[in-house]
Amino acid sequence: MLMKNSITILLLFILFQFSANATVYYVSNTGNDSNLGTTINQAWLTINKVNSITFSPGDEILFNRGDTWNERLIIGDSGTDTQRIYYGAFGTGTKPTIDVQNNETSVIVSYHSYITIENLILKNSTNNALGFAVTGGCYGITVIGVEIFNAGNNALSISKGGSDILIQDVSVYNASNNGIYLNGSPANHLSNVIVENCYVSGTGANDGIVVHEDGNGGTAGSNFIIRNNYAELCAEQGFDITTGSNIHLYNNISKNNVQGGILIGHSANNITVERHTSIDEPTTNTSAAINIGGTVPNVVVKYSVIKGNGYHLLRVTGSNVEIYNNVFVYNGGGAIIDFGNDLENLTFKNNIVTTLMDGMGRIRFLGANRPANHPSFDFNNNIYYAPNGVTIYNASTTSNYTFSNFQTTFSQGANSLETDPLFIDRVNEDFHLTQNSPAIDAGIDLGLNQDFDGSVVPFGVNYDIGAFEYFDTAATSAQAFEQIHSIYPNPATKRLHLKSNIAIEKVWVIDVLGRKMNTKVIDSSIDVSHLNNGIYFLVFNNNNELIKNKFIVSH
């Protein structure tokens, strides 16, 4: 409840950030620094002029769309909790661009609080492109709709702590180090941070979205929401969570990151990963699509789809970990799942572990003192399936086991099955269940309330196994009505196909911000090849009732 209330306060800050008595200043490539700057016709010319002015709480500094500046912007004044200083855009066309052409360490730097930066393009810094570093912590920082290219270090960096931070709809292309970097500090920790609807592509040395200790082990703080983000082509992980507490990652996508989708470790604690999608993470033999390690206490991974051709899909070396209602899909690589040394309190339930190939890598228990039947391990109500059979390795006996031998030898997984889960379309990667799936009603109640699609669970007499609850298309409940449409493949690359048992009057696609995309239905399919990678919603109109299904575009 504390985290929810804090986020609500943060959003109220944003709503009331401007004063009726504020002054609006304009900056344009056709302006003049001798002008007053207070009207479009009296706009200033340079950012150096902006840097020389003292601004008051509630003031707005607007840059002309379509224009470019080659000077660094230094934010020299603070707003207040109800009257922020705002830096944004005016006019029509492309966002204003600040391109420092590798002649400046940063594009924008702020040593002040209660600042909003919106709808700017930042390019070619030699260090952090956009940096916030306030002694004692920065407060009330909002960054919306900013695009960052070719950062010499981190694209967006927040250090020295602070609170009430919103990073929304930020895009990062090619950062030498990290994309969005939330750094720890010795004393002034971060709290109440939202990172949402952001896109990070290409980091040269490290990660996409990061909550990290500082160089001296200082923690980043607590209460982070990281949702609806997409991270791909990073040198290490898409999401690096190695410090902080009460961190909730959900509805995120990671794809083709060299060392995996999510790393959780070091001093991080109370971490929830929910409705995550990991796609083809080309991991090394010491990492994984989902890698949970360090001294991590209290991690939950639930209702996620982890598919890849990397070395591991899941690697757990930290204790107090719960893995619930996920789909792990092997598509080449090494061991599909590794459980490491010295684990305690490991629960693995309601998961489907399967393959797109004839066989799959082994599931391995690597701790000589932690066999599969260790007293604090609980593996049950799972489905394992490979056409050529499932192999489980146990280090304490240095032996491989078939699934049935594993059950007999270790008395583990009595209610688990080795059988085909009967997905709607395994080849095209639609991992929803068919009506005859053995996963239906075969799960256990773990206190969960929403599946991967966000639908309320359970639907039937019990929970289903896997990331998707099956909904009977003949049922008349509102819950079933929302699911009578099938869309596949999901993620989609070129076309999204539709199946329905009722007439569909109208279909359209919206993005996570609610914007309607330019698409149309032809032969029960939609061309999505022109859409950017990310999360979208297919919205159906049936008898004036809207039905919304989530899907992913991943080229």
Side-chain angles (χ1 to χ4, degrees):
M1 182 63 69
L2 175 61
M3 186 174 185
K4 182 177 179 181
N5 289 341
S6 299
I7 299 304
T8 301
I9 292 170
L10 169 58
L11 296 176
L12 288 174
F13 279 157
I14 297 167
L15 290 174
F16 296 105
Q17 62 183 296
F18 305 120
S19 166
N21 298 320
T23 303
V24 179
Y25 297 92
Y26 298 88
V27 191
S28 168
N29 286 168
T30 59
N32 190 305
D33 284 349
S34 63
N35 289 339
L36 294 175
T38 52
T39 66
I40 294 175
N41 293 331
Q42 284 285 310
W44 294 326
L45 174 63
T46 69
I47 290 179
N48 284 335
K49 176 67 174 182
V50 175
N51 293 340
S52 71
I53 299 298
T54 298
F55 296 106
S56 299
D59 284 351
E60 301 180 39
I61 302 91
L62 306 182
F63 298 88
N64 190 30
R65 289 179 176 270
D67 288 355
T68 299
W69 291 264
N70 304 126
E71 313 154 79
R72 180 169 69 149
L73 174 61
I74 301 173
I75 295 175
D77 305 288
S78 292
T80 67
D81 58 350
T82 58
Q83 299 182 58
R84 300 189 183 192
I85 297 177
Y86 177 90
Y87 294 81
F90 75 94
T92 60
T94 59
K95 297 174 184 177
T97 298
I98 305 177
D99 182 354
V100 297
Q101 300 179 323
N102 293 315
N103 293 318
E104 298 283 357
T105 56
S106 60
V107 184
I108 300 178
V109 62
S110 175
Y111 304 107
H112 294 271
S113 292
Y114 302 111
I115 302 295
T116 295
I117 299 174
E118 185 172 11
N119 291 332
L120 299 177
I121 297 174
L122 314 180
K123 291 185 174 182
N124 300 318
S125 63
T126 61
N127 203 325
N128 300 331
L130 174 54
F132 296 90
V134 180
T135 300
C138 60
Y139 295 85
I141 301 298
T142 300
V143 181
I144 300 177
V146 172
E147 300 174 39
I148 302 173
F149 295 83
N150 306 324
N153 189 15
N154 304 307
L156 192 161
S157 174
I158 296 180
S159 57
K160 299 185 179 181
S163 184
D164 301 325
I165 313 294
L166 175 63
I167 301 169
Q168 183 183 80
D169 200 26
V170 169
S171 298
V172 174
Y173 305 89
N174 300 323
S176 294
N177 197 20
N178 298 289
I180 297 172
Y181 187 67
L182 305 172
N183 197 17
S185 64
N188 305 296
H189 302 152
L190 288 167
S191 63
N192 302 332
V193 178
I194 301 175
V195 181
E196 64 181 4
N197 305 331
C198 295
Y199 175 74
V200 178
S201 178
T203 60
N206 278 300
D207 311 295
I209 297 175
V210 183
V211 183
H212 206 282
E213 294 178 345
D214 69 1
N216 298 315
T219 180
S222 62
N223 294 344
F224 295 78
I225 291 177
I226 300 173
R227 63 190 174 199
N228 298 332
N229 303 290
Y230 195 119
E232 64 178 353
L233 303 174
C234 297
E236 292 191 356
Q237 291 83 25
F239 299 84
D240 182 311
I241 311 299
T242 48
T243 185
S245 63
N246 301 327
I247 300 175
H248 193 174
L249 300 96
Y250 63 97
N251 286 348
N252 296 298
I253 304 171
S254 57
K255 179 181 179 182
N256 282 332
N257 298 293
V258 173
Q259 293 192 24
I262 300 177
L263 171 64
I264 302 171
H266 296 294
S267 62
N269 66 88
N270 293 325
I271 313 299
T272 299
V273 177
E274 184 175 3
R275 302 200 292 272
H276 185 79
T277 302
S278 173
I279 306 167
D280 298 338
E281 313 278 8
T283 57
T284 66
N285 62 358
T286 58
S287 60
I290 306 292
N291 193 359
I292 304 170
T295 57
V296 182
N298 306 322
V299 175
V300 178
V301 180
K302 58 185 178 180
Y303 283 114
S304 295
V305 176
I306 314 300
K307 182 194 78 70
N309 56 6
Y311 196 85
H312 303 301
L313 296 189
L314 174 66
R315 181 173 182 261
V316 181
T317 59
S319 296
N320 303 310
V321 176
E322 301 166 68
I323 311 293
Y324 298 149
N325 283 95
N326 304 285
V327 175
F328 296 96
V329 186
Y330 180 86
N331 194 27
I336 186 170
I337 296 175
D338 270 2
F339 300 108
N341 294 308
D342 303 323
L343 298 181
E344 293 288 350
N345 302 321
L346 173 62
T347 306
F348 190 87
K349 292 185 175 182
N350 289 4
N351 300 288
I352 295 176
V353 182
T354 188
T355 177
L356 297 177
M357 309 171 75
D358 289 336
M360 68 181 180
R362 296 178 296 176
I363 299 168
R364 304 193 299 183
F365 293 83
L366 296 177
N369 298 318
R370 296 292 189 275
N373 59 353
H374 183 69
S376 71
F377 291 177
D378 190 358
F379 288 76
N380 218 344
N381 297 90
N382 302 297
I383 289 179
Y384 307 89
Y385 177 70
N388 291 345
V390 174
T391 301
I392 302 175
Y393 172 77
N394 185 75
S396 67
T397 57
T398 64
S399 299
N400 292 316
Y401 298 85
T402 65
F403 178 73
S404 60
N405 287 338
F406 169 81
Q407 285 179 305
T408 301
T409 302
F410 298 101
S411 300
Q412 188 72 268
N415 295 322
S416 294
L417 302 170
E418 183 181 16
T419 187
D420 188 338
L422 298 180
F423 296 130
I424 283 180
D425 193 336
R426 182 170 70 97
V427 174
N428 290 305
E429 303 176 18
D430 184 345
F431 304 123
H432 291 80
L433 305 175
T434 62
Q435 63 181 352
N436 297 317
S437 171
I440 296 172
D441 292 339
I444 191 170
D445 185 354
L446 300 168
L448 308 181
N449 52 29
Q450 287 186 324
D451 73 352
F452 183 91
D453 290 328
S455 299
V456 176
V457 297
F459 173 75
V461 298
N462 205 353
Y463 288 79
D464 298 345
I465 295 174
F468 302 94
E469 188 85 357
Y470 175 77
F471 290 86
D472 183 358
T473 58
T476 58
S477 70
Q479 194 176 61
F481 186 70
E482 293 178 357
Q483 296 295 321
I484 57 182
H485 303 285
S486 173
I487 57 176
Y488 68 94
N490 193 4
T493 56
K494 295 181 180 180
R495 300 200 72 84
L496 184 74
H497 299 279
L498 316 178
K499 289 182 179 179
S500 176
N501 292 335
I502 64 171
I504 300 174
E505 298 175 1
K506 187 176 182 180
V507 179
W508 64 95
V509 173
I510 61 174
D511 66 8
V512 292
L513 298 180
R515 297 174 297 195
K516 184 178 178 182
M517 302 290 101
N518 183 20
T519 58
K520 60 181 179 180
V521 179
I522 299 177
D523 295 329
S524 297
S525 69
I526 297 176
D527 182 4
V528 296
S529 61
H530 63 291
L531 299 180
N532 293 329
N533 288 342
I535 299 172
Y536 295 87
F537 295 93
L538 192 66
V539 181
F540 301 86
N541 186 318
N542 181 74
N543 294 326
N544 295 320
E545 183 162 0
L546 296 183
I547 307 167
K548 185 169 69 172
N549 276 353
K550 183 178 73 174
F551 70 96
I552 296 165
V553 172
S554 176
H555 301 301

